[in-house]
Amino acid sequence: MRIAAEHPKLEVLARIAESTGRPLSELAQAVRAWRHGGPAALAVLEDFWTPDPSVLARARASLAEDWADGRPPQLRAWRNRWTVVGRDRQLRYGRDGRWYPYGKEDGAWWPIGQPHQDPAMALAALLMLQDRRS
């Protein structure tokens, strides 16, 4: 993935996709993940897992404490993924303890920014990304 990320020409990506048996769109997602955080970000793209419930409880408490009015946006949780209800935005919790921002593009979830240790900062940055693109 590192090689694909360092050589973004379409011809190079097409050859890598063909040799790995991955569709070009999947390779492009993986390249973007790699650019946002290397192997840890790639793992977040490709794997889902169930974090310890106490970690998620602390993250929810942090969101409520750090959000300006104490009421962060409603989130639908599934394993290590929190989707913002009513928006095409998602946070994914990595095994490295960081929160990775994702956005839905053409029906698929794509990495869209740098990860954060703090879930409130990650969520605020994620929503600001959406507001700027709207």
Side-chain angles (χ1 to χ4, degrees), residues 92-130:
R92 294 185 181 187
Y93 184 64
R95 293 181 191 270
D96 63 351
R98 297 186 296 171
W99 293 89
Y100 291 79
Y102 274 71
K104 197 172 255 189
E105 298 175 17
D106 298 321
W109 290 105
W110 286 72
I112 60 170
Q114 299 300 316
H116 294 274
Q117 293 282 341
D118 180 340
M121 286 194 62
L123 183 58
L126 176 65
L127 296 177
M128 283 185 2
L129 280 171
Q130 182 172 23

Side-chain angles (χ1 to χ4, degrees), residues 20-34:
T20 60
R22 276 189 169 189
L24 190 55
S25 62
E26 272 185 28
L27 181 64
Q29 283 177 298
V31 165
R32 191 187 295 179
W34 185 274

Side-chain angles (χ1 to χ4, degrees), residues 3-107:
I3 293 169
E6 291 174 1
H7 301 282
K9 291 184 179 176
L10 186 56
E11 311 85 61
V12 174
L13 293 178
R15 275 199 320 257
I16 292 171
E18 185 178 331
S19 69
T20 60
R22 276 189 169 189
L24 190 55
S25 62
E26 272 185 28
L27 181 64
Q29 283 177 298
V31 165
R32 191 187 295 179
W34 185 274
R35 288 181 180 151
H36 285 302
L42 186 59
V44 168
L45 171 70
E46 295 178 340
D47 300 328
F48 57 87
W49 59 287
T50 303
D52 185 279
S54 65
V55 170
L56 298 180
R58 281 193 304 275
R60 283 199 182 277
S62 173
L63 279 175
E65 289 170 16
D66 294 344
W67 211 257
D69 62 2
R71 294 188 319 253
Q74 185 179 359
L75 301 169
R76 186 179 62 251
W78 181 75
R79 299 210 168 181
N80 65 319
R81 299 171 184 194
W82 286 359
T83 304
V84 180
V85 174
R87 297 174 100 170
D88 288 339
R89 293 294 182 253
Q90 184 180 80
L91 288 178
R92 294 185 181 187
Y93 184 64
R95 293 181 191 270
D96 63 351
R98 297 186 296 171
W99 293 89
Y100 291 79
Y102 274 71
K104 197 172 255 189
E105 298 175 17
D106 298 321

